[in-house]
Structures are given as structure tokens and as C-alpha cells.
Amino acid sequence: MNRSTLRGKPRPAAALLAAAITVTAFCAADAVARSYPFGPRTRAVNDLGNQYVPFHAHLWDLLHGRADGGLLVNWQSGFGSSFLPDLGTYLSSPFALLVALFPRDEIDLAVYVITVLKTACAGAAMAWLLLRLRPGRWWAAGLLGSAYALCGWSLADASYNPMWLDGLVALPLLCLVGEWALSGRRRLLGVLIVALAWIANFYTAYMATLGAGLLLLLRLWLSGLPRRRALAAAGRATATVALGVGLAAPLVTVVYFGTKHAYPGRVTHFEPVATEDVLARLLPTTYGFGSPALFVGTTALLLALALPFHRAAPVRVRAGWSLLVVAVALSMQWTPTHLAWHAFATPNGSPYRQTFVLCALLVIAAWHTLSYGVPARRALAAATALLALAAAAASRSGLVHSYAWPVLLLATAGALGGLLLLRHTEATRTTAPAATRAGSRPGAGGGSEPTRSGPATAEIGSTAGTAAAAAGSGPVTGDGPAVGAGVAGVGSVPGVGAGSGAVGIGSGGDGSGSAAGEGPAVSGSVPVAGTGAAAGAGGRRRGVLVGLAVVLLVGAQVGEAAATSAAATRLRLNHLDDYAPWGDRQRSQSQAVSEAGGWPAYRTDPGREQTVGNDPMVVGGQGAQYYSSLTADVLSRTLTALGDGWTSRGRNVQSLDNAVTDAIFSVGARVHSPPDQHQRWNPRDSTPVTVSRQDVPPLVTVRPAPAPGARTGVSAFGPSPYRNQELLLGTRVYTVPALTVRTADGAQPERAAGDRAGTVIEVPRTKGSGAQGSGAQGSRGRTAAASRPSIAAQCPAGSEVYLWAPHFSGTARLTDTPARPLTGRFTSDAAKIAAMQRLGTAPASGRVRIELSPTRTGTVPDGAVGCLDTARLRTAVQRLDETGADEVTVSDGTVRARLPAGSTGTAVLAAPRIAGWRCAADGAETKPAATYYGLVAVPLDGSATSVTCTFHPPGLRLGAAVGGASLLTLVLLGTLTAVRRRRSARHPALRTAGTTATRPRERTTSAL
């Protein structure tokens, strides 16, 4: 891109530069950290591996017509879950559609590319915004735009929560919408941008909207507009946001009501982190999960700190931006404002998700500093002193590692070196020979002497001269026509109250400049032809110095951002769970599921040995496993009552490998895989993937009608999962014997009360051990050296033995069994419970002994052992099959079943009764579905031969009504605007009747 092009298009050039720097630093960091796709280390940590990659895989299947379900129901997860809320939470970003361009087995790469693109677009949008707010060097806008995109929040938090990155992109775009609202322009585009931001991710869009609103209020105050005009501008902005959110309502309301029906999970209370931790996160290479990641790069931080001391900037500008940054920073540490930032609900996980707003304000403050010229040495010295004080205070934080100091020193040296070089070039330009300055007098077609414009009330500046000032010279590319007493090539407008025109000054090609009314111009004269060899040599020398300054500033930015990202990538692996990308394991599972599949005749479960929290969406099948922020309360409670396990405090339900529940939910094929070898705590196992099959009833069965007044909801379940399974099955199939539990030395263990009532199981101690261990490795050694705790019970000979111990951690093994015993692995802690496990077959004597190897202290409840009579189960399954539906068809949110003639009682669909199901027998009017112990049910009177159930997500109708009203309002406003323009074109006198001398200035004023 040549210089003339840059002069004419500074904003696109700045946006491209910001994107290029962002992509370079982001990918370089992963290469340094040897992280996927540039190294062997996985980047799929926590929710990235458990949720975002699986949901994007499901979206790939939807786009290619391979998914079981559609936009309304996801039949692959949770035995049938509402998908539209998940779509609005995880997949509604326009970037998500790019997954369709990648192969299915490269889904991890697709998500990585989407993450990089979102981050780059955020930098480009910020660079565009900066040049809209104030004129200046295009490359400096690109540099600061990348500083925003590569902020600590983006690198440490949002990089593995890619849906949050939509908020990073939305914030500068929403600020642009505020600018347009001030100038009364691009109203339709503003509404569409707001709608798109809230559709892409309403959660971070809410925070971005708050941040853009704060920026708009500050700009109104700085503008000094009359109250009436200021209120009109605020009203336009409010109406724009209201209409945009209204257009997004069909999706936003569905997500909102989805949260109301979701399992509550953990209730947390906000506690602000220590001040030294907050200051530490301003520095490069620091990382902490529960602290605000405020890193924006040393250059941006120094410039923001220098703003209060930068005398070239108006006092109102210095005070306003500095106070806004401080106020937002304090709001992050105060509980009431913390709740306001997070939609009045403290989030599970990171409590500082609004940090990107403060990062944006720091970058914008830095831009205002630089747009008034590089700060003087005293201002830079004051900023450096403040940075040193912050670093000294942060040194007491445990988040600062030893390698942070050399990175900080190098970045500071590069930033200060680059800024001082730029300052030097400005000084040499203003002290150019008199002959050079004489050739640049006003009206000569070049630049002009630095001129102080009118008062700071003209802070809204001129967009007419912005582009010309930003590029240094060349054509004006602002948002309105250049009006005023400017000279050729210089965008200038009349100053307000200055008594003369305030001229926007272009620089000698470096892109600096100043808008009218915003203080002194920062650039000096532009050498013109005929000033001699000295002027040419001076210009070349300044060009070399500017180039060196750019190299130092860009190098410092890329280096410290890459180091910070690499450090965060490595440190995340130390305390967050991680998962392997798509590989041989998933490929084998996917092939096994595909070969065994028979949906909707029966379900195929991808298996108990899970790889991630959403295996069915990754490898296929239709199972219980499901992990979402919107996991339905009824699903989690129903499966828990049946003996299932979960993690993430109930929102990540697991597969339950149990013959009775397989019959209840029509699971006719089940994949069995070895434990995931990526997880180092799993036992080493190289057995192949296998598939087991069993006869199961159809998806819709007919049960006897419940007794009048009998409870049939989830609340009807009792404490025993075995009895609860029988309740849903309709037949007694378990024997639940009395238990005899003994410690490792044969003594009777203690009893526990409360939520974890039962017998306490402790880690056995070896002789001479000083204390009870809790680690997995140490406990294995101690357990091997001593006898183990055990459970004894009496079961019918040949029955299948199950152990239910939700609060036990360790392994359980059946001894003295005629068949090869299975090893049940149990894991529980404060955030997870263990699922019921099958251990093998009872011996002919019926005496069952289960040997326990605990890894931490836990409990075994009364009635923990269940003995399944497989013959009775087969009889029950045969009866349900005979009376069940003859044919079942499933299409997205509609299930149709053809029943045997004369069916009475209750038709039960083997799907959780989540809110939104409506059913009807034959052609009757649909009504909200009944519930049969947590499943969808339809009463039958003997005359119906078919049932139809349809699903509509709660909130969809309300959202569609609000969206329709917003669209209608937008169309009416657009029509009125078009009519007015047409009348104005036909009657020019109406257009000019009220025009005053200040009208052109108002039309071309930069929107604050």
C-alpha cells in the first residue's frame, strides 16, 4: 500500500494494520507455547473443549444436514434438549458459520481460526473507531487497535471462551453507533449493528452497550452542546439501542427463559481481589483466573498514564477521560456495580468478565494522548513513574513471575524509545529553517503553522478534515463535506467562539493531525518543492526516525503480547482441565456409533468413558451426556434421581451405563471405549472400542394411568435410585440388600449425617503413616500396602451387581465373582458426584464382597448396592415393546407416534419434560404435555391411535412479537425519513429555510 493510498484511506489502512499485528502476535504466542495448531500441547481447556468445540461440531452437522434434530431440539444430547437457547448462547455469532468450510475432523482448527478472526476484527474495529474519535497517525491507530485486541482479557479469558470475543468486537462498533447518533446519521446501520451485536452474544453485548453508553455520556459532556441538542443526541442513541435489541429479541428472550429453566448450579458471592493483584494484571505475562486481566501493552498504558500530564490536551479532555477510566476501574471492585456489569448475577467462574470495557477505555485514553502530539518528556517521565509505582506494588502479588520483569523492562524501553523518537521528529519539524516554513504559509497549498483553535467546546471536531489530517495531506475523506476557511489539501472548519477558522493541520506524511476545536495541532509545516536540499535531507532523516520509532513500538507490542499469551496458555494447563483435539479416539468412536446407529428406532449412546462433556455432539449418537449453561433443571434432577453422575455442580450430566435406564430411554446400542488416555490420571488401557446391544422398547411407550392425585413429577422420586428406576420402568427388578461396611482393619466405620449421609470411607493408613493422605498417587501406595475397606451384601445368584456411591472417590471391585469383574471408577468432590457403576455378576452363593480403594475420604450411602434380576428386566422390556408405539417419526421439534388400537393410560415419550413441549392425541387441540416422573406424557382415553408432540422454546413467541414490533417501527421511521427527503428534494426552499451560518459546521462536526 503506497503513501498516497494511505493518505486517502487512513481508516482502512489502520484497520488492516491492527488486524495484521493481532494475527501475528496471537499465532506467534501459540508457536512459542507449542500449543495447537503449532505444537503438541492442546489448547482445548475447560469450556473450550467441553462446550465450544462440541457445539461448533454440532453446528457443522446441522449445516451439512447430518445432525439428529434441528434448530429447536437437539436429540443427540440430554435425551433431547432445547437447542435454540444453546444456539443463542454459543453459536449465534456470524463467525460461527465458517465451520462449514472446514472438514469435520478439523473442527478444532475451525474453532481456532474463528477465534483468531474475531480477535483480529476487534482490533480493526477499534482502530477504525480511534480515527473516528480523533485524527492522528494511521499506523498509531492500528497499533493501539491491536493493543485492544491483544488485551489481557482477550488473551487470558476470552481466547478459550470464544463466544465472549463477540463482545470484544461489538464494543468499538457500538461506540461508532453512538458517534452516528450524535451526528444524526446512519440510523438504520446503527440499529442493525446493535441487533447483530446482541444476537452474536447478548451477554458481552450487554456489557459493551454499557461501556459505549459511558463513552457517549463523556463525549456529550466534552462537546459542550446545548442541553436540548445533547438530550436529542442521547435520545437518538437510546432509540437506536432499543430498536436493535428489539430486533434481537427472538433469540435474546429464548436464552433468557432458558436460563430460568436451567439447573441452578452454584450460587456465588462476589469478593474483590486485592489491589496488588489488580495492578499485577496491568503487567505483561501475569495470569490469574479470578483477577481482572487489564494488560493492554506498555505503550498504551504509558500513554494513558501520561494523559493527565499532557498539557497540549484541553483540561476537560484530560480530566474527563482520566476520571472515566478510574471510575470504571473502581466499579469493578464494588459489589453493586459489579452486579450491574454482570446483569445482576454474579457469574460462575471468572468474576471480571467486563474487563474488556476498561481495556478499551485505556486504549482510547492513550489515543487521545497521542492525538494531541507525543507527550513532553516531563509527561512521559510522570507516566513512567506511575508505572514503576504500580509495578512495585504488584511485586507483592503472587501473580507476578520472575520472567515478567525482563519482559516489562524490554517493553518499556521499546515504548519509551519509540515515543521519544516521535517527539524528536515533531520538535525538528517545528524548528525547521525559516525558508521551509515560509513555503508553508496558509493558502500556499501546503500545511500551516500550528494554530490554537477555539475553546474545548469544539471537542467534537471536524470530520471533514479528519482523514486529511490523519494521512498528513491529500484528499479529504471525512464523513461530511469540507466546509470553512481551509486551504487546499487541509481539512478545516470554522472554530467555535475563536473569532477565526480553526484549521486542521496535516503532517509531513506521518499521518498526524488535529481537528478543529481540540487544542493545538500537533504537526508542523509540510515542506514544499523548492525549499532546497536541506529540507529534503531533513525530511528523509525524519522519515528514518519515524520508521525506527514504528519498529520499536510495534516490536514492543508484538513481543509483550506474544509473551503474555504464551504464558497464559502454559499456566492455564496447570490448573484447568484440558482435552485432546480430534484424533484416533474420536475417529474410532464416531465410526462405531455410525455403524450401530438406528435412530429413531432406538438410541445409540457413545459411552460412559467420556472424552469431553458433550461427546454425542462430537462423535455422534443420542445419549444422556450434556453440558451447557442452560442444562434443564428437570433433566439434571431426573437423571440424578436415577443414579447418574454429574460435574460442574449439576450442569454437566454424564452417560449412565445401566441396563434399566437404557430400557427406559430406548438405548439399544452402547459404545464401550477404554478410558481417555489423554488424561494422565486414567489407567493405561489399550483395549479396542466395542459396541453392546440390547432389546429395548420404542421411543414412545404406553404405561398405566397414575392413580388420581398421585404425584408424577420429579418430586415423586425417593432417595433410592434403584426404586426410582423401577418407578419409571413400571416393574420391580432390583433387590436392595442390607450392607455390612468395614474399614481396612475390619472395624465398623463412622457414620455421616446431612446431605452426604452414610458410612464414612477413609483412605487406609499404612503402618507408621503420620496422617491421612488425600492425593491420588500417595493413596494408591498406602492402599496397596494395607487391606482395603469393603462392603458385604447378599444378592440373588447370577444377578448383576451395581454400586451407587455418589460421594465416593476411588475404585470399587467385586471379589469372588464367577465372571471377569469390572473395576468401577468413582470421582466426586464439591462440584461433582459419581454415577452408578456395574461391577459384575453375583456368585452362586449370593455372597457379594466389594473391595474399595478410596483416593479421598467419602461416604457410601445406605442401600448403595443393587442386584438386578435380568430375567425380570427382559420380561418388562418385552411387555413395553408389545404395548408401545408401532411407529415413531422424529423431525426437529416434532414427534409422531402410531399406537396400537385401544391404548389406554399414558403415552410416555422417552425425553425429559423440559418447558416447551405440547402434545395432543390424534387430531385434538395441543396442550402442555403432562409429566411422567420427569418424562413427556400424554393421557390416553382408548380412542386415540396416534399422538403428536411439538416443541416450542419458551420465550420464542414473546421475542417474535417484540422483534416484529421493532421491525415495523424501523420500517415506519425509514419510510418517514424517505418521504421527508423526497419532499426536501422537490422543494429546495424548505431545505434552506431554517439554515443559519453555523449549519455547515454542525453538519460536518465529528460526532463525539
Side-chain angles (χ1 to χ4, degrees):
M1 184 176 290
N2 58 43
R3 179 173 296 183
S4 62
T5 302
L6 296 181
R7 288 174 178 172
K9 298 181 179 180
R11 293 181 193 172
L16 288 175
L17 178 62
I21 294 175
T22 300
V23 172
T24 300
F26 196 100
C27 295
D30 288 329
V32 170
R34 302 185 66 207
S35 176
Y36 179 90
F38 302 103
R41 291 190 176 92
T42 179
R43 68 182 304 268
V45 299
N46 201 259
D47 289 346
L48 178 61
N50 265 329
Q51 291 180 305
Y52 305 122
V53 171
F55 274 112
H56 280 81
H58 187 69
L59 178 62
W60 191 100
D61 291 336
L62 275 174
L63 295 174
H64 289 83
R66 290 173 45 178
D68 295 327
L71 293 177
L72 300 180
V73 178
N74 170 17
W75 287 105
Q76 295 182 239
S77 304
F79 290 137
S81 59
S82 179
F83 182 65
L84 201 55
D86 284 333
L87 178 72
T89 302
Y90 301 104
L91 299 171
S92 52
S93 170
F95 292 93
L97 297 174
L98 295 176
V99 296
L101 304 179
F102 291 79
R104 179 63 165 76
D105 57 359
E106 294 290 351
I107 193 66
D108 297 273
L109 180 62
V111 173
Y112 180 83
V113 170
I114 289 172
T115 302
V116 175
L117 284 177
K118 285 185 179 182
T119 310
C121 287
M126 177 56 74
W128 194 286
L129 171 67
L130 295 179
L131 285 174
R132 180 66 175 81
L133 296 175
R134 286 276 300 166
R137 299 172 173 89
W138 68 268
W139 59 262
L143 177 68
L144 291 178
S146 69
Y148 168 71
L150 296 170
C151 67
W153 179 87
S154 171
L155 299 176
D157 296 334
S159 62
Y160 69 96
N161 292 280
M163 66 178 185
W164 294 353
L165 289 172
D166 291 291
L168 195 72
V169 179
L171 178 55
L173 295 179
L174 292 174
C175 291
L176 280 173
V177 172
E179 300 292 302
W180 298 335
L182 277 168
S183 60
R185 302 174 67 242
R186 299 177 180 171
R187 298 179 183 179
L188 175 60
L189 182 58
V191 171
L192 294 179
I193 287 178
V194 173
L196 185 62
W198 279 72
I199 288 172
N201 185 252
F202 83 97
Y203 185 56
T204 51
Y206 164 80
M207 301 174 189
T209 304
L210 292 181
L214 292 174
L215 186 143
L216 176 63
L217 292 176
L218 175 60
R219 298 278 280 170
L220 281 171
W221 178 72
L222 291 176
S223 70
L225 289 173
R227 179 178 299 179
R228 184 174 180 179
R229 289 180 59 191
L231 290 176
R236 287 194 298 269
T238 302
T240 299
V241 171
L243 288 174
V245 175
L247 290 179
L251 200 60
V252 173
T253 56
V254 166
V255 176
Y256 172 78
F257 281 98
T259 61
K260 294 302 180 182
H261 293 100
Y263 189 77
R266 178 180 63 172
V267 177
T268 59
H269 301 282
F270 173 69
E271 293 185 5
V273 299
T275 302
E276 56 264 29
D277 289 344
V278 175
L279 294 175
R281 298 309 303 276
L282 287 167
L283 308 181
T285 70
T286 57
Y287 176 78
F289 179 75
S291 57
L294 295 171
F295 167 79
V296 290
T298 305
T299 300
L301 184 58
L302 282 173
L303 289 171
L305 292 175
L307 180 57
F309 312 102
H310 193 20
R311 294 186 177 182
V315 174
R316 286 166 65 91
V317 172
R318 289 186 277 162
W321 283 104
S322 300
L323 289 175
L324 180 60
V325 169
V326 172
V328 172
L330 293 176
S331 74
M332 296 171 62
Q333 294 286 85
W334 189 38
T335 300
T337 47
H338 159 85
L339 291 173
W341 279 112
H342 294 91
F344 302 97
T346 296
N348 291 321
S350 174
Y352 291 97
R353 301 181 181 183
Q354 81 280 37
T355 304
F356 72 99
V357 176
L358 182 54
C359 293
L361 294 178
L362 285 170
V363 169
I364 296 174
W367 174 249
H368 275 75
T369 302
L370 195 58
S371 69
Y372 289 101
V374 178
R377 286 183 172 86
R378 290 184 179 180
L380 288 177
T384 305
L386 288 178
L387 177 59
L389 288 175
S395 63
R396 297 177 297 172
S397 171
L399 304 180
V400 181
H401 300 275
S402 59
Y403 48 76
W405 302 117
V407 175
L408 176 62
L409 290 175
L410 289 173
T412 303
L416 287 176
L419 293 174
L420 290 174
L421 281 175
L422 286 179
R423 179 70 183 177
H424 178 70
T425 59
E426 290 179 357
T428 57
R429 182 183 299 117
T430 57
T431 58
T436 302
R437 293 199 303 270
S440 303
R441 66 187 182 278
S448 67
E449 291 284 15
T451 305
R452 182 170 296 275
S453 66
T457 56
E459 157 70 53
I460 55 179
S462 170
T463 61
T466 295
S473 63
V476 175
T477 58
D479 291 314
V483 180
V487 296
V490 180
S492 60
V493 298
V496 179
S500 63
V503 182
I505 309 299
S507 73
D510 63 359
S512 63
S514 174
E518 293 193 306
V522 301
S523 56
S525 60
V526 181
V528 297
T531 59
R540 286 192 296 271
R541 183 172 178 272
R542 284 194 299 272
V544 171
L545 292 178
V546 170
L548 181 58
V550 173
V551 170
L552 286 174
L553 294 173
V554 173
Q557 175 70 35
V558 172
E560 63 179 331
T564 301
S565 180
T569 299
R570 295 290 295 272
L571 292 172
R572 275 197 300 264
L573 292 173
N574 293 335
H575 79 277
L576 293 178
D577 49 307
D578 60 273
Y579 307 91
W582 180 280
D584 292 338
R585 176 180 175 86
Q586 293 90 335
R587 192 173 294 108
S588 299
Q589 291 175 327
S590 179
Q591 182 178 354
V593 168
S594 178
E595 294 174 353
W599 174 260
Y602 60 86
R603 289 185 167 105
T604 301
D605 194 303
R608 167 76 193 145
E609 289 292 348
Q610 67 183 45
T611 306
V612 297
N614 278 301
D615 275 350
M617 284 190 276
V618 177
V619 301
Q622 310 83 28
Q625 195 186 63
Y626 179 47
Y627 181 26
S628 169
S629 298
L630 304 170
T631 300
D633 179 81
V634 64
L635 171 67
S636 185
R637 295 187 186 280
T638 298
L639 292 181
T640 301
L642 299 179
D644 197 12
W646 43 251
T647 63
S648 299
R649 292 176 170 82
R651 292 191 173 182
N652 185 357
V653 293
Q654 301 172 349
S655 173
L656 181 57
D657 189 355
N658 179 274
V660 178
T661 54
D662 281 353
I664 292 170
F665 291 100
S666 190
V667 179
R670 176 173 291 277
V671 176
H672 302 274
S673 305
D676 184 9
Q677 301 300 287
H678 176 78
Q679 308 300 344
R680 55 186 177 275
W681 55 78
N682 281 337
R684 301 301 92 184
D685 191 340
S686 59
T687 56
V689 173
T690 60
V691 177
S692 63
R693 299 176 182 270
Q694 68 174 10
D695 294 330
V696 292
L699 204 61
V700 176
T701 55
V702 177
R703 314 297 181 88
R711 295 185 303 161
T712 57
V714 178
S715 60
F717 286 127
S720 171
Y722 303 111
R723 299 304 179 219
N724 294 337
Q725 290 180 14
E726 293 171 340
L727 196 61
L728 264 175
L729 183 67
T731 305
R732 180 62 61 91
V733 293
Y734 281 109
T735 298
V736 183
L739 306 180
T740 302
V741 184
R742 290 290 181 261
T743 63
D745 55 9
Q748 186 172 354
E750 299 178 355
R751 298 280 302 175
D755 294 338
R756 302 188 177 189
T759 304
V760 177
I761 303 296
E762 296 183 342
V763 179
R765 303 181 184 181
T766 58
K767 185 177 181 180
S769 62
Q772 177 181 313
S774 60
Q777 294 294 335
S779 65
R780 289 194 188 102
R782 286 187 291 272
T783 303
S787 57
R788 296 179 173 89
S790 63
I791 301 173
Q794 186 72 29
C795 285
S799 59
E800 286 190 351
V801 179
Y802 286 85
L803 177 63
W804 171 64
H807 302 297
F808 170 72
S809 285
T811 60
R813 189 178 181 87
L814 192 63
T815 62
D816 302 327
T817 177
R820 181 172 179 265
L822 304 172
T823 299
R825 294 186 295 113
F826 297 77
T827 303
S828 70
D829 56 28
K832 59 176 71 79
I833 64 173
M836 178 187 298
Q837 299 276 345
R838 184 169 68 93
L839 300 182
T841 305
S845 63
R847 289 190 293 271
V848 173
R849 184 177 181 275
I850 301 172
E851 194 174 67
L852 305 177
S853 298
T855 55
R856 60 165 56 94
T857 299
T859 60
V860 172
D862 298 333
V865 175
C867 311
L868 175 63
D869 188 328
T870 56
R872 289 185 179 180
L873 176 61
R874 285 193 296 270
T875 301
V877 168
Q878 184 177 2
R879 182 171 61 253
L880 290 174
D881 184 51
E882 291 173 351
T883 60
D886 297 326
E887 181 183 8
V888 178
T889 58
V890 179
S891 60
D892 193 5
T894 302
V895 178
R896 293 182 176 86
R898 183 163 53 85
L899 304 177
S903 297
T904 59
T906 303
V908 177
L909 170 63
R913 177 36 177 109
I914 56 178
W917 279 109
R918 298 179 65 87
C919 297
D922 281 343
E925 180 183 359
T926 60
K927 298 179 181 180
T931 179
Y932 186 82
Y933 305 108
L935 305 186
V936 178
V938 185
L940 301 175
D941 60 5
S943 62
T945 58
S946 67
V947 294
T948 301
C949 292
T950 57
F951 181 79
H952 296 281
L956 183 59
R957 290 185 175 88
L958 174 62
V962 174
S966 299
L967 181 61
L968 179 61
T969 303
L970 191 61
V971 170
L972 291 176
L973 291 176
T975 303
L976 289 175
T977 302
V979 169
R980 287 178 179 176
R981 288 178 178 174
R982 192 171 182 179
R983 290 181 60 190
S984 178
R986 289 181 176 180
H987 306 284
L990 295 176
R991 182 174 54 191
T992 59
T995 302
T996 66
T998 61
R999 180 61 180 172
R1001 174 181 58 81
E1002 293 170 357
R1003 289 186 64 190
T1004 60
T1005 295
S1006 170
L1008 278 176

